Amino acid sequence: MRAIGGIWRWRHNPLRRTTDLVEAWVALSALLLVLLVAPLVGAVVGAVAQSALQQAVRDQRDSRHEVTAVVVRTLGGSPFEADPDTGTGRDTRTRVFADWKAPDGTAAHGAVMSGLQTPHRGDRFSIWTDVHGRLVARPMDTATATTHAVLAGIGAAFAAAAFVEGGRRMILWRMVRRRYARWDQAWERVGPDWGRTGTGS
């Protein structure tokens, strides 16, 4: 609004300099870009990220399988560790040695993290593996993918707005420097005669 007011105020003002009008137009252009282009950039980036992430979710669901593992024995060291897959980090998982069968039918075993508070031999729990039984992370869910896509869109919109504002400030900085340079040139012409009686007569 200040940009629009500045353009209107300087239209027919006899004290208006060309740089004043240019400055007002630059501010108005930056405002329009921030209001129109930045949200569009955010929407496009968010849509692209959503498509890519949802495809990643589908790929992970196809390549990762939930299987049942059987506790053989608990392992030493820290009895509990925070579960990195949970959002709060409050859920604890116990490190155990377990056996499980891969989706392709081969037997597998190894040290894994279980969700059991006090695991005993023969207890069952779920783990995620690839088709050959190698441990993998839990596949991403659609809600998490959508959240990441939204955050990517918001970040892109803010980045576009910051880029526009940076461009506006750079243009104004160059205009001010040029204005000061012109003032210095004018002062060099007038300065030696400043204050002398009859100067310019």
Side-chain angles (χ1 to χ4, degrees):
M1 298 308 295
R2 290 178 57 190
I4 296 172
I7 293 172
W8 186 261
R9 185 174 66 252
W10 287 114
R11 278 192 322 146
H12 303 297
N13 193 315
L15 299 178
R16 184 201 73 192
R17 297 168 298 189
T18 302
T19 55
D20 296 324
L21 195 58
V22 170
E23 184 176 335
W25 276 110
V26 168
L28 178 61
S29 300
L31 177 65
L32 292 176
L33 287 173
V34 168
L35 293 178
L36 300 176
V37 176
L40 181 62
V41 169
V44 170
V45 170
V48 171
Q50 172 76 342
S51 177
L53 288 171
Q54 293 299 335
Q55 182 59 48
V57 168
R58 290 190 291 272
D59 292 343
Q60 289 181 7
R61 285 181 175 174
D62 290 341
S63 62
R64 301 179 185 187
H65 307 274
E66 188 175 18
V67 299
T68 300
V70 180
V71 175
V72 176
R73 67 179 185 276
T74 58
L75 296 177
S78 176
F80 298 105
E81 293 184 16
D83 183 2
D85 291 335
T86 59
T88 61
R90 296 176 184 170
D91 294 341
T92 55
R93 295 168 68 85
T94 310
R95 192 163 176 263
V96 300
F97 191 88
D99 292 330
W100 64 90
K101 182 173 288 189
D104 64 1
T106 58
H109 55 270
V112 297
M113 302 302 297
S114 75
L116 304 171
Q117 293 290 336
T118 54
H120 300 286
R121 181 180 178 86
D123 287 348
R124 297 175 178 272
F125 61 97
S126 296
I127 59 173
W128 289 89
T129 70
D130 63 11
V131 69
H132 302 297
R134 292 185 292 263
L135 293 172
V136 293
R138 180 184 306 164
M140 187 187 332
D141 57 49
T142 56
T144 302
T146 300
T147 300
H148 289 320
V150 170
L151 292 176
I154 292 173
F158 276 111
F163 179 79
V164 170
E165 176 61 14
R168 183 190 73 84
R169 289 176 181 268
M170 179 63 69
I171 292 171
L172 293 183
W173 177 75
R174 291 178 63 88
M175 289 174 61
V176 169
R177 282 180 58 97
R178 187 176 298 175
R179 185 182 300 163
Y180 286 160
R182 288 177 180 171
W183 284 352
D184 289 340
Q185 293 171 1
W187 181 250
E188 288 176 0
R189 291 193 301 268
V190 177
D193 296 327
W194 184 262
R196 292 184 183 178
T197 305
T199 299
S201 60

